[in-house]
Amino acid sequence: MKAPFAITLRVGSSLANKTGAWRTERPVYVDRLPPCNDACPAGENVQRWLYHAESGEYETAWRELMRDNPFPAVMGRVCYHPCQTACNRGKLDEEVGINAVERFLGDEAIRRGWTVSVTAPPTGKRVLVVGAGPSGLAAAYHLRLLGHEVTVRDAAPRAGGMMRYGIPAYRLARDVLDAEVDRIAAMGVTIELSSPVPDAAAALRDFDAVFLAVGAQLSRRTEIPAGDSARILDALGVLRDVSEGEPPLLGRRVVVYGGGNTAMDVARTARRLGATDAVVVYRRTRERMPAQPFEVAEAEQEGVRMRWLSTIAAADGGTVTVERMRLDETGFPRPTGEYEELAADSVVLAIGQDVDRSVVATLPRVSVADGVVQVGADMMTGQPGVFAGGDMVPSPRTVTAAVGHGKQAARYIDGWLRGEPYAPPPRHPLATFERLNTWYYSDAPATVRPTLDAARRVSTFAEVVGGLDEGSALFEARRCMSCGNCFECDNCFGVCPDNAVVKLGPGERYAIDLDFCKGCGICVTECPCGAIDLVPEET
């Protein structure tokens, strides 16, 4: 009697018999958008450069990073790293210290003198960038890489914009900023300082395109009844004077009015300038404070006091009258009629910032609403050839967002100059935590960056947060789970019962031999990073 077919199967039978005909579903390798990439305002391919960093290929990682962001050393210090907030690893143990690895790569590039070469052929087109801050310099960098002649003009005596004049040196060392600005200049970008541009219309006659990237360097004011002897300053003016080496005399008792990051910066600066009592007065609660939580925590560590649910009602020589507030059912602060006095030698206002829009005053086709310039999806204003970004347009006012704007604007400007409009590529589906097989990832607690002792901070403008050494940076990069993208771990190759997974070689990933794949889905289940889908078989 003839034996049943199943009993006749021997070693090698899955190759001898093309079992793929049994399949109703097939596995397909996919590339998904990592949440870190998705959350980065600068549009960095975070996962890609981490992949190179974890292999010790630091220069390759840095060059991948520089494809999107010309300020990795700066960003590794001042970015609020939304990429880490989005990191899937945070749901497993702790998020990957992306920002710390970025700083390591940026510092390594400065230490080793890595440079960027322009290989694109000259286009003969000339672009003027107004503003030498993060958005303007990023745009200039990318435009230069695309082959255009770029001139950057700024009214300030030194380049950097708010990176130099709005961020204290204890957060961003000036030699680091100078090194990354100088690298851009060395690429052939012309930077003209102490050169304000009062009229964009006139500038447009000498250039093929103009990018407006004026930073929000005008402090907002508020009406506070004040006596003749009251000393009231604005936060940006204080930070600028300190940056220029001419710190103001704030006195021993300083009250800062506001609740944003600038308020934290100026209160911490006041402590370093000798204030024994620095108090932040804010009309809402800590939970509703716009300042980053770590900024508030570091300020408190340095002795800055917080007065929540309070507003300044009046100021006179030596005192400030503060009124207690309460939040109504909508969360809006309401006065209570309860007052008290605080001793204050000076009051610093940190209640918001505006952009000087006079540069577009002679361009009637440029629309301004809510204090910012309106642009289309291509970042062009109503005036053909005039683009705008950074603080000048509706956007979060951070260095990272400004750098991202500069990159996007460069691509749109390039497309406009060539007569070939730039079209952003489609976005992949998001790589969610639920798709990961986290059993394969070992426990690896995050590396903590070194910090100065609180007692030492208030006596120096040295950087508070230090960088990682090579071993720590390598460890941190290796904590990346490569969400949604194959990293050639060989799991699928090893678990396939039909030997249907074919290795294509280093960097080439795998292929599925559909003659033998039965569509069992084991490879999908066992993929650590969720980079394989099971789809219905084509009929």
Side-chain angles (χ1 to χ4, degrees), residues 125-129 149-153 192 202-210 385 416-417:
K125 301 293 186 179
R126 303 179 67 233
V127 182
L128 173 66
V129 175
E149 293 183 36
V150 188
T151 298
V152 181
R153 290 178 182 161
E192 299 176 358
L204 190 57
R205 291 193 289 267
D206 300 322
F207 293 87
D208 298 295
V210 174
W416 188 78
L417 291 174

Side-chain angles (χ1 to χ4, degrees), residues 77-78 80 167-168 170-171 259-266 268 286 289-302 304 306 457:
R77 288 164 165 81
V78 306
Y80 297 121
I167 299 177
Y170 63 79
R171 288 180 56 204
N261 295 315
T262 300
M264 299 301 110
D265 286 341
V266 79
R268 297 172 68 183
R286 178 169 187 157
M289 206 174 201
Q292 292 291 324
F294 74 86
E295 287 258 37
V296 179
E298 289 180 0
E300 290 180 323
Q301 291 166 10
E302 294 171 11
V304 175
M306 306 290 170
R457 295 181 200 171

Side-chain angles (χ1 to χ4, degrees), residues 224-232 314-321 342 344-347:
I224 296 177
D228 293 339
S229 59
R231 180 166 170 74
I232 300 179
D316 207 343
T319 62
V320 168
T321 302
L342 298 177
D345 297 312
S346 59
V347 176

Side-chain angles (χ1 to χ4, degrees), residues 453-478:
D453 293 335
R456 292 181 55 199
R457 295 181 200 171
V458 295
S459 63
T460 176
F461 276 87
E463 287 187 322
V464 170
V465 180
L468 300 180
D469 58 30
E470 181 180 352
S472 299
L474 191 63
F475 175 83
E476 198 60 33
R478 287 175 175 170

Side-chain angles (χ1 to χ4, degrees), residues 124-130 149 151 153 196-212 359-366 379-388 413 416-417:
K125 301 293 186 179
R126 303 179 67 233
V127 182
L128 173 66
V129 175
V130 182
E149 293 183 36
T151 298
R153 290 178 182 161
V197 179
D199 185 352
L204 190 57
R205 291 193 289 267
D206 300 322
F207 293 87
D208 298 295
V210 174
F211 178 55
L212 305 176
V359 67
V360 299
T362 56
L363 295 173
R365 299 173 69 177
V366 174
M379 302 189 71
M380 190 187 292
T381 67
Q383 176 68 44
V386 177
F387 298 75
I413 293 169
W416 188 78
L417 291 174

